[in-house]
Amino acid sequence: MSLEERHRRRLLARGLALLSLIGLLAGLLIGSEGASLSALRALFDDGSAGLVLGQIRLPRTLGAWLTGALFGLAGAIAQGLFRNPLADPYLLGSAAGASLGVVLVLTAGSVVLGGGAAGWLARFGLVGAAFCGALLGVSLTLMLARGATHTTRLLLAGVVVGVVLGAFNDLLTTLDPDALRGKQAFLLGTTGFLGWPSCLLLLLALLAALPLAWRLARVLDALSLGEDSATSLGLSLPRLRLVMVALMALATGTAVAQAGMVAFVGLVAPHLVRRFVQATHGYCLVASAAMGGVLLMGADVLSRWLIAPQELPVGVLTAVLGGSYLLWLLQRRRMG
């Protein structure tokens, strides 16, 4: 590694750490009524102001960072696994599966159990339903592709599963139009319901997925040389690829279950990392996780501040910013 590349890596790490601290501070200062410097003093207050910061703003901001980190990690795994810079964490049916799980819970609550039970089920069952639905979508993809032996077959199976589960999703929404409201909130993405329990679950998922993905990063490095070259190195590609798919499903399912369908974070975060450094996948996985955390934390803060006291869905903001970045990148490459 050259001295210049080492310097760029250190610079990126320091920049991400600094932006994370700035985002955390901004998340504490900005609430439903805009920014307020007096909010910091409320951290040491036992009254309602301290309760708002300690139980609402702080876990929400940290939860947004952890959710973005999981999306960034899953995106980096997907792009390395499929050797495609346009791959995102939702390719293997996790998005359609999570959405179907949410609609199933909403429909069961309103049609089968009645209004009161529907409210209870919607409150306590959506997170688990979204997580199980995401894992179900990935599992169906693996079954249809007969494992993770062939990348192209896996990708096509993910597309098929997404279309079929999406059709069931639309059918249930047609049978129960009331479920459309809850589904829409889930599809737009939100960090407004993140609390300390959510932060704990997100942290556990990140601690489980990131170290193992980092240890298996050599698989992605080998795949970048081609499958034949990776096989000649003695790697058991079907088994190792299956583990990487499982890690991607764990990261995506946990993030989607807690924050809904947040768009473009998993796609853009690895792109931004590669624009700053040219590194192996081991470094890119960790840096993409940090970049995803910074992106979603920043989007969360902006969603609270732009039209305060109202709030933008964070998924809408990430879609606008991420889509604008990709359009700018496309235009720049075309001109270059």
Side-chain angles (χ1 to χ4, degrees):
M1 184 193 308
S2 65
L3 290 177
E4 181 182 358
E5 182 63 25
R6 189 174 302 173
H7 174 70
R8 291 173 68 88
R9 290 191 185 187
R10 284 199 299 264
L11 190 63
L12 177 62
R14 292 171 183 171
L16 290 173
L18 179 60
L19 288 175
S20 297
L21 291 176
I22 293 174
L24 178 61
L25 180 62
L28 294 176
L29 294 178
I30 296 176
S32 59
E33 298 181 357
S36 175
L37 292 176
S38 61
L40 289 180
R41 293 195 298 268
L43 280 174
F44 308 98
D45 188 5
D46 295 332
S48 59
L51 183 65
V52 168
L53 262 69
Q55 299 299 322
I56 298 178
R57 293 188 192 175
L58 182 57
R60 173 175 177 169
T61 306
L62 291 175
W65 193 96
L66 291 170
T67 303
L70 287 173
F71 277 126
L73 174 62
I77 293 175
Q79 292 178 15
L81 188 63
F82 294 109
R83 289 177 290 168
N84 189 333
L86 295 179
D88 74 350
Y90 300 147
L91 276 179
L92 299 184
S94 58
S99 181
L100 179 61
V102 168
V103 173
L104 278 173
V105 168
L106 294 173
T107 303
S110 60
V111 175
V112 180
L113 300 178
W120 180 87
L121 193 61
R123 182 176 179 181
F124 295 100
L126 289 183
V127 172
F131 181 76
C132 293
L135 295 186
L136 175 63
V138 176
S139 299
L140 290 175
T141 299
L142 290 173
M143 290 176 58
L144 186 61
R146 298 178 182 177
T149 304
H150 301 287
T151 304
T152 304
R153 183 188 299 170
L154 188 64
L155 183 60
L156 292 176
V159 174
V160 172
V161 168
V163 172
V164 173
L165 293 184
F168 279 110
N169 196 335
D170 294 336
L171 177 62
L172 289 174
T173 305
T174 303
L175 295 175
D176 181 25
D178 292 336
L180 181 60
R181 184 180 305 172
K183 173 188 172 182
Q184 184 177 15
F186 174 79
L187 292 177
L188 292 176
T190 179
T191 52
F193 300 108
L194 295 176
W196 288 119
S198 300
C199 289
L200 179 60
L201 289 174
L202 292 165
L203 178 61
L204 290 176
L206 185 62
L207 292 178
L210 184 57
L212 186 54
W214 180 77
R215 290 192 62 182
L216 296 177
R218 62 189 179 91
V219 179
L220 301 179
D221 292 334
L223 281 174
S224 65
L225 303 175
E227 294 199 10
D228 293 337
S229 299
T231 303
S232 67
L233 294 175
L235 297 176
S236 178
L237 285 184
R239 181 176 59 85
L240 293 173
R241 190 185 282 121
L242 184 61
V243 174
M244 298 302 288
V245 169
L247 292 176
M248 185 174 67
L250 172 63
T252 306
T254 306
V256 167
Q258 298 297 329
M261 302 291 296
V262 177
F264 275 100
V265 173
L267 176 61
V268 171
H271 271 272
L272 291 174
V273 170
R274 288 193 296 267
R275 283 189 61 81
F276 283 101
V277 296
Q278 299 295 327
T280 59
H281 281 90
Y283 180 88
C284 285
L285 290 174
V286 178
S288 296
M291 182 68 75
V294 169
L295 290 176
L296 190 54
M297 178 188 286
D300 173 59
V301 172
L302 285 176
S303 69
R304 288 184 254 167
W305 174 70
L306 285 176
I307 57 172
Q310 297 182 4
E311 186 173 313
L312 281 172
V314 70
V316 173
L317 195 57
T318 58
V320 171
L321 296 178
S324 300
Y325 167 75
L326 291 180
L327 286 175
W328 171 80
L329 190 62
L330 179 63
Q331 184 67 22
R332 182 177 178 182
R333 288 186 177 181
R334 182 181 302 171
M335 295 177 62

